[in-house]
Amino acid sequence: MSDLREKLAEKTGNNVIFFSPPPIFNEEEDEGVVTMQEARTACRIDGTDNDDIIRPLKRAAEWYVLDAVGESYRNDARTKEAILTRIAITYRPERDAQGILREHVESLLLQMGKSV
């Protein structure tokens, strides 16, 4: 890397600084309200092969639910259930063909006092 930096600096006449881009998913910050194992279980997945698919679904569901109810409900069991149900609906939409699971999530959010 330093050879490339020196060659670019020589060619352009400027000091070249390389920044490494941040990782798309930071594994250390990954654990939110639900764990990846709980998300896998909600999707009925064994193993970590589909983690690249499940991780963004988990984050989106957490953001959606926490945005609706607020951080004060982070440790509420209904929050976790709503997040896991949204993950399952998004991963396997055919499981909610009649919309019952989506209505369940909405009722959980309403129970916590927030409108959907």
Side-chain angles (χ1 to χ4, degrees), residues 6 19-20 53 82 87 96:
E6 290 171 9
F19 293 101
S20 59
I53 298 168
I87 293 169
D96 192 34

Side-chain angles (χ1 to χ4, degrees), residues 64 82 86 99-112 114-116:
Y64 174 84
R86 282 201 51 95
I100 296 169
L101 293 174
R102 193 169 306 273
E103 287 179 12
H104 177 64
V105 170
E106 291 174 7
S107 71
L108 289 169
L109 297 177
L110 290 172
Q111 286 173 18
M112 291 183 272
K114 300 296 177 179
S115 60
V116 213

Side-chain angles (χ1 to χ4, degrees), residues 5-16:
R5 184 181 317 214
E6 290 171 9
K7 288 179 184 177
L8 284 172
E10 183 180 306
K11 186 165 187 116
T12 62
N14 297 320
N15 189 13
V16 179

Side-chain angles (χ1 to χ4, degrees), residues 9-46:
E10 183 180 306
K11 186 165 187 116
T12 62
N14 297 320
N15 189 13
V16 179
I17 300 172
F18 290 98
F19 293 101
S20 59
I24 295 173
F25 297 114
N26 186 348
E27 297 295 330
E28 296 165 0
E29 296 176 5
D30 192 43
E31 300 307 321
V33 178
V34 298
T35 64
M36 277 301 293
Q37 185 56 45
E38 290 170 328
R40 286 184 209 109
T41 302
C43 296
R44 298 182 179 191
I45 298 294
D46 291 331

Side-chain angles (χ1 to χ4, degrees), residues 14-99:
N14 297 320
N15 189 13
V16 179
I17 300 172
F18 290 98
F19 293 101
S20 59
I24 295 173
F25 297 114
N26 186 348
E27 297 295 330
E28 296 165 0
E29 296 176 5
D30 192 43
E31 300 307 321
V33 178
V34 298
T35 64
M36 277 301 293
Q37 185 56 45
E38 290 170 328
R40 286 184 209 109
T41 302
C43 296
R44 298 182 179 191
I45 298 294
D46 291 331
T48 60
D49 293 341
N50 293 325
D51 278 2
D52 291 341
I53 298 168
I54 296 172
R55 188 172 288 112
L57 300 179
K58 173 185 161 308
R59 288 188 176 172
E62 287 179 345
W63 289 336
Y64 174 84
V65 172
L66 289 176
D67 185 51
V69 299
E71 286 290 324
S72 60
Y73 285 96
R74 179 177 273 280
N75 296 322
D76 194 310
R78 295 172 294 186
T79 302
K80 185 176 254 190
E81 184 177 349
I83 291 169
L84 291 173
T85 305
R86 282 201 51 95
I87 293 169
I89 291 170
T90 308
Y91 189 77
R92 297 190 190 271
E94 69 278 0
R95 288 179 57 195
D96 192 34
Q98 296 176 343

